[in-house]
Amino acid sequence: MRLVSAGLTDVGCVRKHNEDSLRMEPELGLFVVADGLGGHAAGEVASQIVVDRVVQFVQQTVEKDRTWPLEYDVTLNYDGNRLKVALLLSDQAIVEDIRKNPERETMGSTVVACLIQGTRATLAHVGDSRAYILDPKGIRQITRDHSWVAEQVTHGILTPAEARVHPFRNVITQALGNGGELDVSVQEFDLEKMDRLLLCSDGLSGMVTDSEIWSIAMSEKSLENSVSRLIAKARENGGEDNITAVLIGFSADEDGPST
Ligand code: CA
């Protein structure tokens, strides 16, 4: 089985700037989606800092013989530590950039990042950028948003349907660059050969329902076509925010063209 992937980011139908950033590094098995906050062009700076810093740290830690820059979390495996530290370093990098450029004071970013070695996936996120696993039977969201509405759903105060349309649905409880303590969520799991892993910003998950995402992503053989159609659907449904989607899967052929 060979890892295949496709990703796109789109400004949407309403915003002037695209504050989302996306990086795919199939050689490293690394995929990152960051959604910048702050407006006035600062959000795009923040999300770019995040994807650059994450890729840089993962590149620097391909070999295990490096001095670890921050505390090593013994509850996580090596890749879990790589992603957790990569996110903490990108948080510090945004804070540092704000110190030099105070006009960007309000900037921050959410992120979802995945590192895949063979069929083993390690995933880390902060904020409401999401990951889903899709298979022939259905779709399931595997990240829990760091958001006010997600907390209400966890406590049984709101239903998922109420959360989806709640006026506070965009209020996140943590983001990179905000200067506070961060609680990075990290998880590990195995991917099956028919699985597709979706990473996305809330401009997709907020505009397209899970069942629409599932039927579009699973009905196309080509991941490129699936991703294009997901973006088109988010635009068709209003495109109120920037839209980013990355799909990752496995191809049965060993020698086919790399996507
Ligand atoms: Ca967004």
Side-chain angles (χ1 to χ4, degrees), residues 78-135:
Y78 184 64
D79 280 348
N81 273 283
R82 288 168 88 190
L83 284 185
K84 183 176 175 179
V85 169
L87 267 48
L88 293 173
L89 291 175
S90 42
D91 173 60
Q92 291 178 0
I94 297 174
V95 171
E96 184 59 28
D97 187 276
I98 292 171
R99 199 173 299 141
K100 290 183 201 147
N101 304 281
E103 71 280 7
R104 296 181 192 148
E105 181 189 24
T106 55
M107 79 175 173
S109 184
T110 71
V111 66
V112 59
C114 189
L115 198 46
I116 300 176
Q117 315 283 355
T119 56
R120 192 70 176 163
T122 306
L123 188 91
H125 83 285
V126 169
D128 62 357
S129 294
R130 289 184 178 175
Y132 292 85
I133 289 181
L134 304 88
D135 67 19

Side-chain angles (χ1 to χ4, degrees), residues 15 20 35-36 128 201-203 241-242:
R15 304 277 176 94
D20 288 359
D35 178 350
D128 62 357
S201 64
D202 66 336
D241 197 356
N242 308 140

Side-chain angles (χ1 to χ4, degrees), residues 6-12 18-24 32-36 47 51 112 129-130 198-205 227 230-231 234 241-247:
L8 281 174
T9 184
D10 187 275
V11 70
N18 188 350
E19 301 192 324
D20 288 359
S21 291
L22 149 72
R23 281 286 285 278
M24 298 192 289
V32 192
V33 170
D35 178 350
S47 66
V51 297
V112 59
S129 294
R130 289 184 178 175
L198 169 69
L199 309 182
C200 66
S201 64
D202 66 336
L204 180 75
S205 52
V227 166
L230 287 172
I231 302 277
D241 197 356
N242 308 140
I243 312 149
T244 303
V246 176
L247 272 174

Side-chain angles (χ1 to χ4, degrees), residues 113-200:
C114 189
L115 198 46
I116 300 176
Q117 315 283 355
T119 56
R120 192 70 176 163
T122 306
L123 188 91
H125 83 285
V126 169
D128 62 357
S129 294
R130 289 184 178 175
Y132 292 85
I133 289 181
L134 304 88
D135 67 19
K137 284 192 224 129
I139 176 168
R140 63 184 195 279
Q141 183 184 335
I142 55 171
T143 48
R144 186 190 292 165
D145 295 345
H146 302 141
S147 71
W148 185 84
V149 291
E151 285 179 2
Q152 307 309 303
V153 171
T154 302
H155 293 119
I157 298 162
L158 291 178
T159 66
E162 287 166 342
R164 207 176 160 76
V165 294
H166 197 280
F168 296 165
R169 63 186 178 278
N170 295 322
V171 176
I172 53 175
T173 49
Q174 58 172 354
L176 303 175
N178 284 6
E181 274 279 299
L182 271 185
D183 183 13
V184 177
S185 296
V186 182
Q187 54 184 310
E188 289 173 59
F189 49 92
D190 285 310
L191 288 167
E192 306 286 333
K193 74 170 187 261
M194 298 299 284
D195 286 349
R196 288 183 170 184
L197 178 65
L198 169 69
L199 309 182
C200 66

